[in-house]
Amino acid sequence: MANGAAALRTGWRFQNSMGAIVQFENVGLRYGTGAETLSDISFSLVAGAFYFLTGASGAGKTSLLKLLYLAQRPSRGLIRLFDEDVVTLSRTRLPGFRRRIGVVFQDFRLIPYLSAYDNIALPLRVAGVDERDLDTPVREMLEWVGLSARASARPATLSGGEQQRVAIARAVIGRPEILVADEPTGNVDPEMAARLLHLFDALNKLGTTVVVATHDIHLLSRFPEAQRMRLERGTLSDPTGTLRYPVRQS
Amino acid sequence: MIAGFRQTPADRKLLPDGRFSGAAPWVIAIMMFLMILAAAGGLGLAQAARGLGSDIADKLTIQIVEANPDAREVQTRAALRELSRMAEVRRVRRVPENELKALVEPWLGAEAANGDIPLPAMIDVTLARAEAAQPVRLAIGQVAPAARVDEHARSLAPLAGLIDALKWLAAGVVMLMATATAAVVVLASGGALNTHRSTIDVMHLLGATDLQIARIFQRRIAFDALFGGGVGLVAALVVLLLIGTRLAAIGSELVGSIALPASGWIALLLLPLFGTVLAMTVTRFTVLRLLRNRL
């Protein structure tokens, strides 16, 4: 037992030395007094890798992502982000961690009374970027997602696909170290879905760790090199242990 | 703390500028209207109390109540001589007989004032200092046994006490109004926070700090408070001008002494600004306290 614990501790150090940016160890999540939504989740995400999180509806994908982007604290277990324990992290330190994570929400969560431009600029404004330094990156991002002509449009006047692209632009404009996307292609046609995934891929090649939750089988087949995590009824299937102890990357 | 109130252009863009939302600005306007009226009343009464105190503290009236005119005159002259010798006395004036008759005429009629009823001789005394009343009383008692010494401060003490109590009552009302305004702001802040819950959640997840979010709400409530304070101030000034003209029409010296000094007017004009700062401070602490309960 003692050896096991020592091995585990050694394992953590090994993971860190490999560049693990996220570590979950025996994490459980329970809402209220109900049954556990997530049980015994253990995995490590290597910095700069691309992951797909799959699973049927209700398997717990969104709950797992919430833990990842610090919208929720787990009921039990250990979560380390950027080599720090975030389960016991004080509230005052959370904003600093959250600014390093970009999130594409399943329901977009755009601010309804801000234009597409201002929605995309929001993370930079939150981070205190000067207004003079803000215009160029926001315009570039609008162009990147093909919405330059819709810069001043409010979310209510945008189509579902356009809202999704604004949400993606908002998530990546701050050049996050981790990008978390919850069903980011759910509201777009297959062509646009592929295009968005290539945007993620481009960002990943710049060094961002990308985690995309999806149940779109066709999407997975387009990125065979991406690693896959599968949730089944709140449990992560990892029979070979490669998610928990990923192989050192050359 | 002051740095916390500072808002960068970026902060201002996080949410739309504050608009006059809901009932809060109007409730603040009513509170400010009442607060300014109460403050004006308190400041006016304080001025009147100061004026009354300085007017009467050093004044005495000596009455020689003697039915025999010759004896009354002898005692009056003796009292005047004694008073003119005393260092504690600054000014002595014998009230002329025609003034005395004019004083009693409204009460006793013209015939009564024509010599059928003996009137006491009266001497107005201004002391060098208010504490000299007792030595004067003793000295006069020795040379004029029929003398009655009336200290104005003592006889007007109940009125001065009433004015003082009303002044403190006005101050209490101002404090209560400020507390009620703060309570309204607490409720308005809580409501606004609930209304914008989803936006706040998104901002939190994008890395916004509680202080950044609190600043946005401070700015919003500042608009409401400035608007409400301005409306309340204008309404209160109109009422005060109307009351001022009514008081002037009475023509009473005592009522006329209830006036606002220049510093009082400045204080009234500053009250809406005080209300705005109060509202911003309360909003800041309310929002920060409520956000502590969220992740």
Side-chain angles (χ1 to χ4, degrees):
Chain A
M1 188 70 177
N3 287 342
L8 186 64
R9 282 197 296 274
T10 312
W12 279 118
R13 278 199 293 275
F14 175 68
Q15 299 295 335
N16 292 340
S17 66
M18 283 182 58
I21 198 165
V22 176
Q23 293 167 322
F24 275 51
E25 190 66 29
N26 297 322
V27 170
L29 177 65
R30 186 193 302 275
Y31 295 107
T33 55
E36 276 198 330
T37 306
L38 296 173
S39 296
D40 300 323
I41 303 288
S42 299
F43 65 87
S44 296
L45 302 184
V46 176
F50 197 119
Y51 295 90
F52 278 117
L53 176 62
T54 64
S57 292
K61 297 192 295 293
T62 300
S63 294
L64 179 55
L65 294 187
K66 278 184 178 175
L67 293 174
L68 198 53
Y69 60 74
L70 303 175
Q72 195 82 42
R73 290 205 200 260
S75 311
R76 61 184 174 87
L78 175 73
I79 299 176
R80 292 180 74 83
L81 239 66
F82 312 114
D83 216 17
E84 282 213 52
D85 174 10
V86 292
V87 176
T88 55
L89 195 71
S90 71
R91 279 193 79 253
T92 52
R93 293 192 61 207
L94 280 174
F97 278 77
R98 284 170 171 159
R99 288 176 193 179
R100 299 167 73 179
I101 305 168
V103 187
V104 182
F105 301 100
Q106 192 171 15
D107 52 355
F108 319 138
R109 302 179 79 169
L110 301 177
I111 310 290
Y113 38 78
L114 292 184
S115 65
Y117 180 101
D118 285 328
N119 264 293
I120 294 171
L122 199 52
L124 298 183
R125 289 196 167 113
V126 162
V129 173
D130 197 281
E131 288 291 309
R132 287 168 299 187
D133 303 330
L134 195 136
D135 190 59
T136 305
V138 176
R139 298 270 172 214
E140 280 175 5
M141 202 52 66
L142 278 163
E143 197 180 331
W144 193 57
V145 293
L147 288 173
S148 294
R150 306 284 280 148
S152 56
R154 294 201 172 190
T157 65
L158 296 172
S159 69
E162 286 173 330
Q163 288 184 37
Q164 197 142 30
R165 281 183 277 161
V166 172
I168 289 168
R170 184 181 67 181
V172 302
I173 193 168
R175 293 288 164 88
E177 291 167 62
I178 303 174
L179 175 66
V180 179
D182 195 358
E183 302 283 2
T185 57
N187 287 280
V188 292
D189 55 61
E191 192 186 338
M192 180 54 74
R195 206 173 132 200
L196 289 177
L197 260 294
H198 279 110
L199 292 182
F200 290 165
D201 191 41
L203 201 69
N204 176 242
K205 284 187 168 53
L206 292 173
T208 300
T209 307
V210 179
V211 182
V212 177
T214 184
H215 55 255
D216 186 345
I217 304 294
H218 303 294
L219 208 62
L220 299 175
S221 61
R222 291 191 188 199
F223 292 87
E225 70 279 13
Q227 296 189 61
R228 296 179 191 186
M229 303 162 72
R230 181 164 179 76
L231 271 174
E232 286 173 8
R233 292 179 190 166
T235 309
L236 193 67
S237 70
D238 182 21
T240 60
T242 48
L243 285 171
R244 192 169 185 179
Y245 305 112
V247 180
R248 181 191 290 270
Q249 291 183 325
S250 56
Chain B
M1 180 73 183
I2 291 168
F5 283 114
R6 191 175 55 81
Q7 197 169 41
T8 64
D11 288 342
R12 282 198 290 275
K13 275 247 175 173
L14 290 176
L15 284 180
D17 282 348
R19 297 191 198 96
F20 306 131
S21 48
W26 300 104
V27 175
I28 291 173
I30 293 168
M31 295 290 187
M32 201 52 71
F33 169 73
L34 296 173
M35 196 193 290
I36 291 170
L37 285 187
L43 289 167
L45 288 169
Q47 175 74 359
R50 268 196 301 275
L52 194 63
S54 62
D55 281 353
I56 64 172
D58 57 352
K59 290 207 170 51
L60 298 177
T61 297
I62 298 170
Q63 295 182 59
I64 311 294
V65 187
E66 171 58 60
N68 185 322
D70 296 333
R72 183 165 69 227
E73 187 59 27
V74 168
Q75 287 194 33
T76 303
R77 286 175 189 278
L80 286 168
R81 268 197 309 276
E82 185 64 23
L83 288 167
S84 60
R85 276 205 303 269
M86 294 182 76
E88 294 92 336
V89 174
R90 190 150 52 97
R91 202 168 73 91
V92 179
R93 184 181 82 97
R94 180 175 183 173
V95 179
E97 200 161 341
N98 58 339
E99 251 183 64
L100 281 175
K101 285 177 178 171
L103 277 173
V104 298
E105 194 179 305
W107 314 104
L108 304 176
E111 292 80 13
N114 279 341
D116 293 342
I117 297 174
L119 295 176
M122 288 181 75
I123 303 167
D124 279 342
V125 180
T126 304
L127 300 171
R129 51 191 176 83
E131 300 77 35
Q134 188 57 19
V136 169
R137 182 190 296 275
L138 291 173
I140 294 301
Q142 285 177 353
V143 297
R148 289 182 191 167
V149 178
D150 176 22
E151 293 175 46
H152 291 195
R154 191 173 290 183
S155 57
L156 288 176
L159 179 63
L162 175 67
I163 289 176
D164 208 41
L166 288 174
K167 181 183 76 182
W168 286 110
L169 178 66
V173 170
V174 169
M175 294 302 292
L176 279 177
M177 286 293 162
T179 308
T181 304
V184 167
V185 170
V186 168
L187 292 175
S189 302
L193 214 58
N194 276 332
T195 304
H196 297 285
R197 174 181 279 269
S198 59
T199 301
I200 291 165
D201 286 345
V202 171
M203 290 183 62
H204 263 152
L205 292 174
L206 294 178
T209 61
D210 291 353
L211 210 55
Q212 280 177 310
I213 292 167
R215 278 199 207 114
I216 295 165
F217 285 92
Q218 271 178 240
R219 178 178 164 79
R220 183 173 290 254
I221 202 73
F223 275 100
D224 286 356
L226 271 178
F227 172 77
V231 171
L233 178 68
V234 170
L237 288 180
V238 169
V239 170
L240 287 175
L241 287 174
L242 284 174
I243 291 175
T245 51
R246 296 285 178 194
L247 285 179
I250 293 172
S252 159
E253 198 176 322
L254 184 64
V255 174
S257 68
I258 304 173
L260 278 178
S263 59
W265 285 108
I266 292 169
L268 293 187
L269 293 174
L270 287 176
L271 268 181
L273 289 179
F274 161 75
T276 303
V277 172
L278 173 75
M280 288 175 73
T281 309
V282 169
T283 300
R284 177 192 177 87
F285 285 109
T286 305
V287 171
L288 288 177
R289 185 174 55 80
L290 293 174
L291 288 179
R292 267 206 305 269
N293 300 326
R294 300 187 189 181
L295 185 60

